[in-house]
């Protein structure tokens, strides 16, 4: 996965992602030959933005997930994607977090945005939880924007942690719509 992603990321990932991903590589938090260690990523991430990973057995409800974000805690599943399908996992896995989420959660402004989504969920009614999750998914997980020249810049973790999703995202056949949370 690392070998397949690293040539693609400099061409498609937003600059904030690239800066922190490079720092993670330099610190040996992500590499081709080792599984990222949660304790090491946690220490680095906390020093950068105050976010922490919380390994869990299974994802809870959307409300529980968003409530964790309010306290700068990111729920993380322990599993690693199956070797027969290394380039995409529907479930969040360790590679998805370490490669997709950690570089942008290390950016203080992005971390504040993610925390604000969580803070908005505290005491919210279910309709608002649904809207917040939609905003979360279409930004934090599937976010794509354009730079000043009109080139696509990917910041969504689900896309950035999958060579298949990067190719799909950049496909000429892809039809783009502006984000609408309703």
């Amino acid at each position: 996965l690392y070998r397949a992603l690293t040539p693609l990321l400099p061409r498609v990932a937003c600059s904030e992602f690239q800066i922190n991903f490079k720092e993670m590589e330099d610190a040996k938090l992500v590499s081709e030959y080792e599984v990222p260690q949660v304790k090491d990523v946690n220490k680095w991430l906390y020093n950068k933005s105050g976010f922490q990973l919380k390994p869990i057995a299974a994802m809870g409800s959307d409300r529980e997930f968003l409530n964790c974000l309010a306290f700068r805690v990111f729920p993380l599943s322990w599993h690693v994607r199956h070797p027969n399908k290394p380039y995409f996992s529907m479930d969040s896995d360790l590679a998805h977090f370490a490669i997709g989420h950690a570089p942008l959660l290390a950016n203080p402004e992005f971390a504040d945005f993610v925390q604000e989504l969580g803070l908005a969920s505290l005491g919210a009614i279910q309709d608002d939880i649904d809207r917040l999750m939609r905003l979360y998914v279409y930004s934090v997980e599937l976010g794509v924007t354009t730079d000043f020249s009109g080139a696509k810049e990917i910041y969504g973790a689900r896309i950035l942690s999958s060579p298949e999703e990067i190719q799909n995202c950049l496909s000429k056949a892809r039809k783009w719509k502006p984000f609408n949370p309703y």
Side-chain angles (χ1 to χ4, degrees), residues 87-88 142 154 158-160 162-170 174:
Y87 297 146
F88 182 73
L142 300 173
I154 301 171
R158 190 176 298 175
I159 301 171
L160 290 171
S162 170
E164 289 177 1
E165 286 300 302
I166 289 172
Q167 297 301 335
N168 182 36
C169 179
L170 299 177
R174 165 72 52 212

Side-chain angles (χ1 to χ4, degrees), residues 33-166:
Y33 299 106
E34 293 184 33
V35 174
Q37 299 301 303
V38 173
K39 68 178 175 47
D40 298 330
V41 175
N42 250 348
K43 182 178 177 184
W44 176 80
L45 188 57
Y46 186 79
N47 288 331
K48 298 288 284 183
S49 71
F51 253 92
Q52 288 286 273
L53 314 176
K54 178 186 177 189
I56 56 172
M59 288 293 171
S61 69
D62 290 346
R63 179 180 301 278
E64 291 168 333
F65 174 76
L66 289 167
N67 286 181
C68 286
L69 299 180
F71 299 96
R72 285 178 120 76
V73 171
F74 199 96
L76 163 70
S77 58
W78 274 110
H79 80 281
V80 176
R81 57 190 70 178
H82 196 277
N84 290 341
K85 193 153 170 87
Y87 297 146
F88 182 73
S89 176
M90 277 303 290
D91 301 320
S92 291
D93 70 337
L94 188 55
H96 169 75
F97 182 81
I99 295 172
H101 283 295
L104 275 175
L105 282 175
N107 177 280
E109 292 83 13
F110 191 80
D112 289 347
F113 167 70
V114 172
Q115 182 182 27
E116 287 295 327
L117 290 174
L119 290 169
S121 75
L122 300 176
I125 62 171
Q126 189 57 46
D127 285 347
D128 290 336
I129 295 291
D130 295 342
R131 285 186 195 93
L132 289 166
M133 276 307 292
R134 196 170 308 119
L135 178 56
Y136 171 83
V137 167
Y138 285 103
S139 58
V140 177
E141 293 291 344
L142 300 173
V144 178
T145 189
T146 54
D147 67 13
F148 292 111
S149 71
K152 301 273 186 282
E153 287 189 324
I154 301 171
Y155 67 96
R158 190 176 298 175
I159 301 171
L160 290 171
S161 62
S162 170
E164 289 177 1
E165 286 300 302
I166 289 172

